[in-house]
Amino acid sequence: FMHAVMCRNANCTFAKCMQFKRVIQHSKQCQRFKTGQCDFCRQLIALCYYHAKACKDDMCQVTFCSMIKQRLKQQKAM
């Protein structure tokens, strides 16, 4: 997952790289994303959530990481 986020090689041969790149690109264009009705987007958010809980990088490039970390901080504050 992390590899696909950082990879800029259009011909990458890493096993799941292209698959994850397509899912990430899909989520950026998905009309059902905001309503939570898309299984692909829900799975991506779950992966990003799992990543964000452990991520310490303030400049993290993982899709949705900073947004999820911000929400987690807000939840802790309550």
Side-chain angles (χ1 to χ4, degrees):
F1 174 66
M2 288 293 293
H3 168 84
V5 171
M6 305 304 270
C7 180
R8 300 294 176 238
N9 181 357
N11 299 314
C12 183
T13 58
F14 190 71
K16 297 286 184 175
C17 183
M18 292 307 292
Q19 182 180 359
F20 276 118
K21 284 180 183 178
R22 284 192 294 267
V23 171
I24 292 166
Q25 186 61 34
H26 164 84
S27 71
K28 293 177 182 179
Q29 300 170 356
C30 183
Q31 299 300 311
R32 299 182 311 166
F33 172 79
K34 291 179 182 172
T35 62
Q37 299 297 315
C38 179
D39 289 337
F40 289 116
C41 293
R42 275 199 305 244
Q43 289 175 356
L44 177 63
I45 290 293
L47 281 172
C48 293
Y49 181 82
Y50 179 77
H51 162 83
K53 284 177 61 175
C55 181
K56 304 293 184 212
D57 184 358
D58 290 335
M59 302 300 288
C60 183
Q61 297 296 310
V62 171
T63 308
F64 308 119
C65 182
S66 61
M67 177 186 72
I68 293 169
K69 283 194 279 192
Q70 183 179 7
R71 287 185 182 173
L72 289 171
K73 285 180 185 177
Q74 290 172 348
Q75 287 176 352
K76 275 188 177 180
M78 290 184 166

